[in-house]
Amino acid sequence: MDLAVNMNLTKLNAFQLKALFIGVTLLILLYIGWLKAYKLQVTEGQKLSDLSDNRYLRSLSYDAARGNVYDRNGILLATTTPLYSIYAEPKRLESAWVAARKINKIFPELKPKLLNKLSTNKNFVWVKRRINAADAKRIRDLRLSGIGLLEENRRHYPNYDLASQTLGLVNIDEKGMAGLEYHMDEDLTGEAWKGLMYQDALGRRIHPFIAPERTDISGKDVHLTIDAKLQAVTEHHLKEAIKKYGARGAWAVTMDPKTGEILALANLPQDNPNHPRSSHTSFRRNNILSAATEPGSLIKIATFASLIENGQLNLEKRIDTEQGIYKLDEFVVKDVSKHDFLRPAGIFKYSSNIGTLKLASKLDRKTLRDDFLRYGFGSAPGLGWQEESAGRVPQLKALGPVEFATLSYGYGLTATPLQLIRFTSAVANNGLMPRPQIIKSAPKSRRVMKRPTAKLVRDLMAEVTGPEGTAKLAQIHNIPVAGKTGTTEKWDAAQQKYDSKRHMASFIGFAPKDDPKYVTMVVIDEPGHSRFGGQVAAPVWKKIMTYAMNSL
Amino acid sequence: MQFDFRPTLQFLLPILAITIVGLIFTGIKLHQINIGYHLAHLEKEKHKLEQQRDVMALEVASLKNPKRLIQMGGNLGLKLPEDGDIIQLKP
């Protein structure tokens, strides 16, 4: 066999020999190549792959943007945009002096301290927090080693102080601290995204096809029932009223009585949540939800509803209102306007405390108290927000003759504007009391009085805005309205008595009277020039309701 | 005398085929890396554009701020309609 091969080889010519030599050489090279490839891919493959990943695979994380907040018509109320912060790694700086000089050209205000900051022996220092994208680009273009940029999110409220107490605010870490931002924090906060990305020697990123998609990491958007335009108009009129009457503050709330949707909720003075440290914390208080005060004559709506519901209101019977002064044991009850005999409609129209307590005396204490509780007083209205107050209805055993009398015309119990507007919405909505809502959801309501009762109360309330009523300034051209005024003296906790110089003037009403579309309540806190709800709050109510009826 | 290449070809062809397959595989990998670069670049660009969109939406919302518009209208001598200023026309 070997002999035969040798024989054949000797028979080959020079060209054939060369071809054979090249072929064999190529084969050997290929073999070596394959051996090397086998070693790289199979024998040491995993180890080398891990080494490569360690070198080039980068773990990335993105802070999820907080969800946006919109009004009922899609107007943006709160959003999050990126800002940048400049940091330095002083140990990595080639020259602190050069870096400081270049950065100072962009931010001259940093000049006094920057060089000292950059000359320290620390591993990390902040140079400047929260700069905009344009300034960030200028810093990036400097290409300074040891100087870097971190992207951060920042909450913005494009309408500044509009509905500020409702929207609330977030802290520097984008965590909800008050209002909607706090209440909806879990929904608004997105999930931080984490993934892997290859990065080459030049720092360029390569999509590894193994990272999860970045969609839907942002927080959920929230759509409110608030109408931003009505809110703006409301705040505008409240601001004017504060100025006109020299008041301490003013609040207003508008509700759709059928659905319980809150269309405007304003508390003045207010804070700009974009710069939360710039004003006093009390400006962030949402009084509509939290300020449980004595409602005064506004509660007469509930007292009369209870009287009608229990068949104790004879509309024809005349009651002696004692010319405005009545002594109950040692307690003196006064009316603002002096009358002698009045029918119930007159008592309601002139807001007679004496007439109301005499009418209420036909009810037993438990019945009136239970009805007040059924009308939603003494329990949180159901928004579920932390600042929501339940108010207070006195215990049955605490209701002596005087306490029962004062309860009937609105002293000795406390209620928030939200509770009062919810109850008035029941009157407007034929006895069905809606659950208030500020975030759009399915409406819910429960019956708290019979339909005829609600109608009769509406008729009584229409008298208040009539030519002889206490709120004739609330009349709107061509639109029948109904409402009730309230004027309460504020309790002076230090003196332990009512302060005859500090009042709360209020008006609550709805329009149109027979098929109400909107219920609005206005409270003017400590008006300086005038104190009556019909003179101070009713004109503001009229302006807000005029806008709502004509423009929404 | 003719040299018989067939045995050599029989040996070389599979190796050649494997080499070609290897080259194609490498080419695909290279292409994948290039697409990876492109995708990463596009993703960065998308992120940047989304941020720009959000900043612009914020600016638009600030300009449309209803309270600001009421104030600007007031400066121009305009006022919100009061009772009696609006006449509803019946169809």
Side-chain angles (χ1 to χ4, degrees):
Chain A
M1 176 73 180
D2 288 344
L3 185 65
V5 172
N6 289 335
M7 287 288 285
N8 285 336
L9 282 173
T10 52
K11 285 174 189 170
L12 296 176
N13 60 29
F15 171 74
Q16 287 168 330
L17 270 172
K18 280 177 189 170
L20 188 65
F21 176 74
I22 291 166
V24 170
T25 309
L26 276 173
L27 273 175
I28 292 167
L29 285 173
L30 268 172
Y31 179 72
I32 293 169
W34 277 105
L35 271 182
K36 189 71 182 168
Y38 182 82
K39 191 186 170 197
L40 288 174
Q41 292 291 326
V42 181
T43 318
E44 295 179 359
Q46 193 56 46
K47 184 182 148 198
L48 290 171
S49 174
D50 291 348
L51 266 175
S52 164
D53 284 352
N54 283 342
R55 200 159 180 183
Y56 297 113
L57 206 57
R58 293 281 177 271
S59 173
L60 298 171
S61 69
Y62 292 90
D63 283 340
R66 205 169 164 82
N68 290 343
V69 181
Y70 298 94
D71 87 333
R72 65 189 296 113
N73 300 312
I75 291 177
L76 187 64
L77 299 177
T79 190
T80 296
T81 58
L83 283 179
Y84 302 86
S85 290
I86 313 168
Y87 67 88
E89 295 170 87
K91 285 181 180 173
R92 283 189 56 222
L93 284 171
E94 283 171 10
S95 162
W97 187 83
V98 172
R101 191 172 58 87
K102 287 184 174 178
I103 295 169
N104 279 334
K105 277 186 183 171
I106 300 170
F107 300 109
E109 71 273 16
L110 298 177
K111 207 168 187 174
K113 290 179 183 171
L114 184 60
L115 186 57
N116 287 342
K117 256 187 187 179
L118 300 184
S119 305
T120 58
N121 207 21
K122 290 178 181 170
N123 288 322
F124 181 96
V125 286
W126 286 115
V127 174
K128 188 168 172 65
R129 302 292 299 270
R130 297 188 160 187
I131 61 168
N132 62 33
D135 285 339
K137 188 178 179 304
R138 291 170 72 191
I139 291 291
R140 200 177 288 120
D141 289 346
L142 294 176
R143 296 183 184 282
L144 293 166
S145 65
I147 297 289
L149 287 160
L150 272 182
E151 194 180 302
E152 294 180 294
N153 287 325
R154 189 187 169 185
R155 198 67 163 162
H156 293 274
Y157 303 90
N159 303 295
Y160 311 121
D161 55 6
L162 186 87
S164 58
Q165 292 94 343
T166 306
L167 294 173
L169 77 165
V170 295
N171 64 11
I172 197 162
D173 299 319
E174 295 275 296
K175 186 98 186 131
M177 298 300 285
L180 177 93
E181 297 280 21
Y182 177 83
H183 178 65
M184 295 294 288
D185 193 50
E186 209 170 293
D187 288 321
L188 285 165
T189 307
E191 284 178 36
W193 177 88
K194 280 187 181 168
L196 297 168
M197 183 76 89
Y198 283 112
Q199 193 165 299
D200 68 11
L202 295 173
R204 292 175 302 180
R205 287 175 185 174
I206 312 163
H207 197 293
F209 302 101
I210 53 172
E213 283 295 315
R214 280 189 52 215
T215 51
D216 294 324
I217 56 162
S218 295
K220 286 180 195 159
D221 292 342
V222 174
H223 293 261
L224 300 184
T225 59
I226 296 283
D227 183 297
K229 288 177 188 166
L230 179 66
Q231 178 76 29
V233 169
T234 303
E235 290 181 6
H236 172 75
H237 289 311
L238 291 182
K239 195 177 170 187
E240 281 191 335
I242 289 175
K243 204 173 159 189
K244 186 175 175 183
Y245 301 113
R248 184 168 174 251
W251 324 326
V253 55
T254 296
M255 182 182 270
D256 178 336
K258 292 183 174 68
T259 60
E261 290 179 356
I262 295 169
L263 301 166
L265 195 158
N267 298 264
L268 262 74
Q270 56 199 156
D271 192 19
N272 181 353
N274 291 312
H275 307 287
R277 273 174 260 181
S278 63
S279 59
H280 200 268
T281 49
S282 66
F283 289 5
R284 294 178 211 145
R285 191 175 173 205
N286 196 333
N287 293 305
I288 301 291
L289 274 63
S290 63
T293 57
E294 287 172 312
S297 295
L298 297 182
I299 209 70
K300 288 172 188 163
I301 309 171
T303 305
F304 275 70
S306 177
L307 283 163
I308 299 164
E309 199 75 344
N310 292 290
Q312 296 295 333
L313 193 72
N314 180 350
L315 289 170
E316 297 307 317
K317 192 177 177 188
R318 291 155 68 90
I319 306 286
D320 184 4
T321 60
E322 316 273 353
Q323 284 295 325
I325 294 185
Y326 179 63
K327 215 168 175 190
L328 186 73
D329 296 337
E330 292 302 306
F331 187 72
V332 180
V333 184
K334 288 180 186 171
D335 279 346
V336 172
S337 56
K338 296 173 175 60
H339 300 274
D340 41 25
F341 282 87
L342 288 173
R343 290 196 173 89
I347 290 170
F348 195 83
K349 182 166 67 179
Y350 299 122
S351 199
S352 165
N353 294 337
I354 297 164
T356 304
L357 74 89
K358 284 191 174 182
L359 283 171
S361 65
K362 292 174 189 166
L363 297 167
D364 65 79
R365 292 175 303 160
K366 187 176 182 310
T367 305
L368 185 67
R369 185 178 178 277
D370 286 353
D371 279 350
F372 277 10
L373 293 175
R374 195 170 74 249
Y375 298 153
F377 300 108
S379 58
L383 273 183
W385 289 27
Q386 60 157 359
E387 53 262 64
E388 222 177 347
S389 167
R392 189 182 71 88
V393 176
Q395 294 293 319
L396 195 57
K397 60 185 175 191
L399 284 178
V402 173
E403 289 78 13
F404 178 69
T406 57
L407 183 74
S408 70
Y409 59 82
Y411 284 88
L413 81 161
T414 58
T416 63
L418 188 61
Q419 287 175 312
L420 288 160
I421 200 164
R422 181 174 70 144
F423 166 66
T424 311
S425 291
V427 174
N429 193 29
N430 289 317
L432 287 170
M433 189 162 75
R435 189 191 65 179
Q437 48 175 319
I438 206 159
I439 298 156
K440 280 193 170 178
S441 58
K444 270 186 190 171
S445 56
R446 65 182 168 94
R447 182 162 291 285
V448 295
M449 69 183 81
K450 297 184 196 100
R451 182 182 275 260
T453 305
K455 189 185 176 306
L456 188 50
V457 176
R458 285 205 300 273
D459 290 341
L460 290 170
M461 289 173 76
E463 292 281 317
V464 177
T465 57
E468 290 180 15
T470 52
K472 49 182 173 283
L473 293 177
Q475 287 172 7
I476 301 176
H477 183 67
N478 277 343
I479 300 171
V481 301
K484 182 75 193 79
T485 53
T487 307
T488 43
E489 288 181 352
K490 289 179 87 168
W491 179 254
D492 187 335
Q495 303 278 331
Q496 283 294 299
K497 64 171 190 175
Y498 288 100
D499 187 342
S500 59
K501 288 178 183 164
R502 295 190 306 132
H503 295 86
M504 288 189 80
S506 49
F507 182 77
I508 193 164
F510 42 81
K513 182 213 139 200
D514 291 318
D515 184 19
K517 281 174 76 179
Y518 308 110
V519 183
T520 297
M521 178 176 178
V522 174
V523 181
I524 309 291
D525 187 18
E526 293 186 27
H529 311 323
S530 177
R531 66 188 172 103
F532 297 113
Q535 291 169 1
V536 177
V540 181
W541 180 92
K542 175 184 170 168
K543 286 177 182 173
I544 296 168
M545 191 57 84
T546 301
Y547 178 83
M549 290 300 293
N550 289 306
S551 306
L552 295 187
Chain B
M1 189 192 141
Q2 283 281 314
F3 179 72
D4 188 3
F5 282 103
R6 275 179 298 180
T8 314
L9 282 175
Q10 277 172 359
F11 182 69
L12 275 177
L13 272 177
I15 293 172
L16 204 65
I18 292 168
T19 308
I20 289 166
V21 169
L23 283 172
I24 291 169
F25 178 76
T26 311
I28 289 170
K29 272 280 178 196
L30 272 173
H31 191 59
Q32 191 185 356
I33 288 168
N34 278 332
I35 290 174
Y37 270 117
H38 190 57
L39 273 176
H41 174 74
L42 287 177
E43 202 166 63
K44 200 174 164 187
E45 197 72 8
K46 182 179 164 242
H47 183 59
K48 208 167 127 188
L49 288 171
E50 280 173 351
Q51 288 183 340
Q52 280 179 12
R53 178 202 62 195
D54 293 345
V55 170
M56 281 193 272
L58 173 68
E59 203 174 324
V60 169
S62 299
L63 293 170
K64 282 176 152 181
N65 175 2
K67 271 176 103 171
R68 178 178 169 270
L69 295 179
I70 291 171
Q71 196 185 347
M72 283 177 74
N75 294 342
L76 294 169
L78 302 170
K79 65 178 179 69
L80 287 163
E82 288 178 7
D83 185 29
D85 288 349
I86 300 169
I87 300 163
Q88 299 276 2
L89 297 176
K90 286 178 185 168

